[in-house]
Amino acid sequence: MRTTHRWLAGWLGAALVALAGAGGARAEFVVHEWGTFTTHHGLDGAPYVWMPLQDVSDLPTFVYKAGPRATKKNTFPGTVRMETPVLYFYSAARQTVSVDVGFPSGLITEWYPRARPSARGIRWPRVTVVPGATAELRQEPAPSHYYPARETDAVLVRCATKRGAQHEKFLFYRGVGTFDTPVRVRLDGEVIHVGVVGPDVVEHGLLFERRGDAAGFRALDLRTGAAVVDRPVPASNAVAELEGALHALLVGVGLYEREARAMLATWRDLWSADGLRVLYIVPSRLTDEVLPLAIKPEPSSLVRVLVGRAEVKSP
């Protein structure tokens, strides 16, 4: 009997150690994502349909693109341009995962590394997360919004192809869709009306306007569901204030410092473009509904931060 008890105690101890080890390994697998939902708003404040693929793209030529048949000769219409979602992986142990991103309300139009796009999303069936590895990442001489996203502490990922392995610091995809976003923005002379519609709460917005050499910034409190404010007054420190507020917002909802800086660097030239725009954090429920994400094995921690970018049409 004592022998049986000793054996049982030893077996339970070994099982607990194994479970603790498995939990520890799992706890080191973290996935973070950021991206942008861009909408254009008409005189009534609602997003309108446009042709995002007709805009000139500066993506590198090695990025995969949906064929003309899928995009109707680059005239695929939508109310939302889903820009630069990138998935970062953090792991102390090498592992292979599958990644599926659904997009039932739109079409995935660009991606890298090689993946399997479909009418309802995109799939990376076998992504190897390789901590500690180094590789020369592809880069072309022309500048691109694509490259700043690499400036993080994420580990390399590798996807095998018939022509050899492709390495990158993230999984990248873009698309065009038609779905409801929560923010409405309307310009009425020198007054701006910002409202939140739908079931989700948007707490804060960042209002930025550029007119020639003048730029203005204003923080918005949207917790009551609406805000009516004057157009921002031009100020010499408007860009710095905007970047500081946006960086704090991104870190506050879970991005790492370097990820937030990479996102700011990706879209920094936007601050020099003429126009009035409102930036806000897309509610998590809406992100998961519009872009259902499945990673197997599941990460112990998953953070998804999509920034809404509402561009306002002037009368």
Side-chain angles (χ1 to χ4, degrees):
M1 184 65 71
R2 289 182 180 178
T3 302
T4 302
H5 286 168
R6 289 196 192 99
W7 176 85
L8 182 58
W11 181 85
L12 287 173
L16 290 172
V17 169
L19 286 172
R26 185 173 181 273
E28 295 172 344
F29 181 34
V30 174
V31 178
H32 283 191
E33 178 182 34
W34 61 255
T36 306
F37 286 167
T38 298
T39 52
H40 287 209
H41 296 248
L43 301 183
D44 62 352
Y48 59 80
V49 175
W50 52 304
M51 301 288 186
L53 297 182
Q54 293 187 343
D55 292 346
V56 177
S57 172
D58 71 347
L59 287 176
T61 59
F62 59 78
V63 170
Y64 295 94
K65 298 177 177 64
R69 180 177 296 181
T71 61
K72 301 178 182 178
K73 297 183 179 179
N74 288 336
T75 59
F76 194 82
T79 58
V80 182
R81 176 53 156 159
M82 182 178 65
E83 297 182 286
T84 321
V86 288
L87 284 158
Y88 295 115
F89 296 83
Y90 301 86
S91 176
R94 174 181 174 136
Q95 56 187 302
T96 300
V97 301
S98 65
V99 179
D100 289 85
V101 183
F103 193 26
S105 301
L107 176 72
I108 301 296
T109 55
E110 295 103 337
W111 62 91
Y112 191 82
R114 188 175 182 86
R116 298 177 184 174
S118 70
R120 297 183 63 81
I122 192 166
R123 172 175 171 80
W124 284 270
R126 189 176 179 84
V127 179
T128 304
V129 181
V130 282
T134 59
E136 185 174 347
L137 304 182
R138 298 183 68 175
Q139 184 152 344
E140 298 171 348
S144 170
H145 287 95
Y146 180 89
Y147 302 122
R150 290 174 171 170
E151 300 302 317
T152 70
D153 297 317
V155 304
L156 283 181
V157 296
R158 182 174 66 208
C159 294
T161 73
K162 292 181 179 179
R163 297 185 178 182
Q166 295 176 339
H167 292 86
E168 191 48 275
K169 290 291 290 287
F170 45 71
L171 301 182
F172 163 85
Y173 63 101
R174 295 175 78 181
V176 178
T178 298
F179 53 89
D180 289 332
T181 51
V183 169
R184 301 289 181 266
V185 188
R186 181 170 59 86
L187 179 62
D188 183 11
E190 296 300 307
V191 177
I192 299 165
H193 300 258
V194 183
V196 179
V197 299
D200 300 305
V201 175
V202 177
E203 293 188 355
H204 304 288
L206 304 176
L207 175 66
F208 181 77
E209 183 173 20
R210 166 76 72 172
R211 285 186 280 179
D213 294 331
F217 164 74
R218 188 185 298 276
L220 303 173
D221 185 346
L222 299 175
R223 287 173 292 184
T224 62
V228 180
V229 298
D230 294 332
R231 294 177 83 155
V233 177
S236 59
N237 61 342
V239 173
E241 285 191 353
L242 172 67
E243 289 204 355
L246 185 52
H247 183 272
L249 201 58
L250 294 172
V251 173
V253 290
L255 288 187
Y256 294 144
E257 292 274 352
R258 294 197 69 191
E259 293 171 342
R261 289 199 295 268
M263 189 174 191
L264 287 172
T266 297
W267 297 115
R268 183 159 286 134
D269 63 349
L270 177 66
W271 318 141
S272 62
D274 274 8
L276 176 69
R277 52 196 59 94
V278 172
L279 305 175
Y280 61 94
I281 301 298
V282 176
S284 297
R285 184 207 62 82
L286 179 60
T287 297
D288 293 337
E289 177 184 278
V290 172
L291 292 174
L293 174 63
I295 302 173
K296 296 181 180 179
E298 292 185 6
S300 56
S301 176
L302 173 64
V303 174
R304 310 185 74 191
V305 179
L306 273 292
V307 173
R309 170 184 152 198
E311 297 282 342
V312 184
K313 182 179 178 64
S314 297

